Each structure stands twice: as structure tokens, then as C-alpha cells.
Amino acid sequence: MPLGQLPGNTPMKLGAAALCLCLLAAAVWLSLSMTTSESSGGGGGGGPGGGKKCAPTPLPRADVSLCRNLEVSYPELGNISCQVVPRCNMYRRKITNWPQPKVKYPAALAGADLKTGTIRGSVITDYGPPTPPPTTGLHRYQFFVFLQGTSTIPAPPKQNGDRGAWEMDDFLRNYRLPQAVTSTQFMTEYE
Ligand SMILES: *[C@@H]1O[C@H](CO)[C@@H](O)[C@H](O)[C@H]1NC(C)=O
């Protein structure tokens, strides 16, 4: 399945923006997750004996390198970019049932859809929610935006079945994708 085409002779720049949304979609759908050490940060709002604050907490320091100007919002929880999903309110369970997050890149130069988080184009791999298994600590869910240029990216058959087997490095090399334009991640764990 070829990646989405824009109607008519839309200028290249916008085309590229829309196409990279497809890619972004791919990254989101694959929900690249990697286990991290149990000791790293985490937890969530609602500390003992305090107020009822239930808000995401910032990522552990070692995990902020991907934090750039990309926003990822789930219903109810809001912007989770660069944050750890809090334990309170059953958010960690709920995130598994919520639909795909809205992903916005407010700093996009061309491509209004990127700015508003309205994804257009073809989905390469359907969205899969975070499903971190028990006793594996916090997992990272990473989002990247790439400029696709003119290459066509076919639907990779095996990815739907086993997203854990997906190799991002290979993917980038195969389709000659340059460095990510922007990125972010959030973390959550089994609850
Ligand atoms: C979303 O969260 C990130 C990381 O905390 C922050 O930099 C960004 O400003 C937030 N965006 C909005 C619209 O709140």
C-alpha cells in the first residue's frame, strides 16, 4: 500500500509534511517500547497523606534526551509528552483502552495538519496501545517525526503481529530516512 498522496498538485513541502505524518503514525502505532530499569523515577501523583493531585511526573533525567517539541495527548490525561503516566486514577490501566493519542508538532514550518495533530495519509501499521507486561518496570513509548522525501514505504507484513521485533534502525536505513525532525517519549508501566 503506497503512502498517502495529497490531492492535486499540492506543493512538495506540504506533501512531505503529510507523508512524515504517516511515518509518525508508523512510529506511534508500533509503540516502540523498551524496558528500563525499575529504579528509574516513575510513581505518580497522589502522594500519601497529601492533596489529591493526580498529574503526570517528569521523565527521569536519563530519559529526557528525546524530549523535543512534540506533543502527545490522550483524552482525560492530556499532554503526556516527556512525562511518566501517573499511577493514580487508574491511568496506567486506562491508557491501554484509550484510542490513539493526538500528536502535534506546533513548530512545523509547513503542514497545518502537523500543527493541529490531524493525521492524514496512509496508516502503515495500526495503532497499538501501551501494554507493558507485569514486573517489567517502566516502558518507553517513543514518537519520531521524519521527513520522508520521495521514498515509498510499503506496509511491512510482520509488524502487526509482533511489534517487539521491529527494528527502527533497519527501517530508517531501508527507506533512507534522515535524522528525526522532532521526537518525544513518555513512560508507563503495568498496573
Ligand atoms: C506538553 O508537555 C511538554 C513536556 O512537559 C511541554 O514541553 C509542552 O510545553 C507541553 N505542551 C503543552 C501545549 O502544554
Side-chain angles (χ1 to χ4, degrees):
M1 144 183 29
L3 275 187
Q5 252 96 50
L6 287 171
N9 295 322
T10 318
M12 177 56 204
K13 264 190 183 167
L14 183 54
L19 289 172
C20 69
L21 256 183
C22 302
L23 266 196
L24 165 68
V28 173
W29 306 165
L30 291 163
S31 290
L32 182 63
S33 72
M34 293 175 287
T35 311
T36 186
S37 69
E38 303 249 3
S39 61
S40 56
K52 293 187 127 193
K53 194 161 170 267
C54 178
T57 49
L59 288 184
R61 236 168 197 219
D63 288 293
V64 299
S65 63
L66 289 183
C67 291
R68 290 161 74 185
N69 44 1
L70 195 57
E71 287 173 28
V72 176
S73 307
Y74 281 94
E76 202 177 322
L77 191 54
N79 180 16
I80 196 65
S81 176
C82 236
Q83 313 269 323
V84 179
V85 176
R87 198 168 280 143
C88 50
N89 248 345
M90 303 219 303
Y91 280 142
R92 291 180 180 175
R93 216 172 290 178
K94 287 177 178 175
I95 202 169
T96 298
N97 297 311
W98 284 331
Q100 66 206 46
K102 186 156 251 199
V103 179
K104 286 188 201 177
Y105 179 33
L109 291 179
D113 294 342
L114 274 171
K115 285 181 189 287
T116 59
T118 311
I119 293 186
R120 297 203 299 171
S122 297
V123 174
I124 299 175
T125 304
D126 283 328
Y127 173 70
T131 51
T135 69
T136 55
L138 286 164
H139 285 236
R140 301 183 181 93
Y141 295 87
Q142 307 183 328
F143 299 74
F144 298 89
V145 174
F146 297 96
L147 211 51
Q148 187 182 352
T150 54
S151 65
T152 299
I153 299 175
K158 72 171 191 184
Q159 287 179 12
N160 277 322
D162 184 8
R163 67 184 176 188
W166 187 69
E167 292 288 347
M168 180 153 153
D169 288 347
D170 292 347
F171 182 81
L172 299 184
R173 201 175 316 113
N174 288 347
Y175 299 109
R176 296 187 170 50
L177 295 167
Q179 281 210 320
V181 174
T182 184
S183 59
T184 193
Q185 66 177 339
F186 69 81
M187 293 165 81
T188 188
E189 69 180 298
Y190 180 84
E191 186 72 14

